[in-house]
């Protein structure tokens, strides 16, 4: 199953970044998110709030009690960790 089904990349919109879509297995992503939740609950929470909840960095920062800059760093770290765990690849 491919993720690039015409959906917008919310992270790119909120930060001004333009990121290509990532190919991955949804079950592998769910497993990886569960693993991340066990290791770093806040990182898993910000990923869920941003990608599944559609919240902005400022909204997430208010919800978890941190700064928007920390949320940005958390999302970047969590994305990298998840990509490593699921073996996701970016198209060439």
């Amino acid at each position: 199953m491919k993720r690039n089904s015409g959906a917008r990349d919310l992270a790119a919109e909120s930060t001004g970044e333009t990121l290509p879509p990532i190919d991955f297995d949804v079950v592998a992503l769910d497993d990886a998110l569960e693993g991340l939740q066990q290791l770093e609950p806040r990182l898993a929470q910000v990923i869920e709030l941003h990608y599944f909840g559609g919240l902005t960095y400022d909204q997430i920062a208010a919800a978890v009690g941190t700064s928007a800059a920390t949320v940005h760093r958390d999302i970047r770290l969590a994305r990298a960790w998840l990509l490593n765990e699921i073996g996701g690849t970016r198209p060439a």
Side-chain angles (χ1 to χ4, degrees):
M1 172 183 271
K2 299 249 183 197
R3 177 175 179 243
N4 188 12
S5 60
R8 297 182 345 225
D9 186 344
L10 297 176
E13 288 179 17
S14 66
T15 63
E17 296 179 51
T18 55
L19 302 171
I22 300 168
D23 293 333
F24 65 87
D25 178 340
V26 175
V27 174
L29 175 61
D30 185 56
D31 291 343
L33 275 170
E34 287 181 24
L36 183 59
Q37 176 67 35
Q38 295 300 314
L39 293 173
E40 295 288 341
R42 189 181 76 203
L43 295 183
Q45 182 181 20
V46 297
I47 287 291
E48 290 171 357
L49 291 172
H50 187 63
Y51 288 102
F52 301 114
L55 274 62
T56 66
Y57 288 7
D58 289 332
Q59 291 168 328
I60 296 167
V64 299
T66 190
S67 70
T70 298
V71 169
H72 179 72
R73 284 189 297 272
D74 286 351
I75 288 175
R76 290 177 57 100
L77 177 60
R79 273 181 61 115
W81 189 90
L82 290 168
L83 279 172
N84 185 60
E85 286 297 303
I86 64 175
T89 58
R90 294 197 179 277

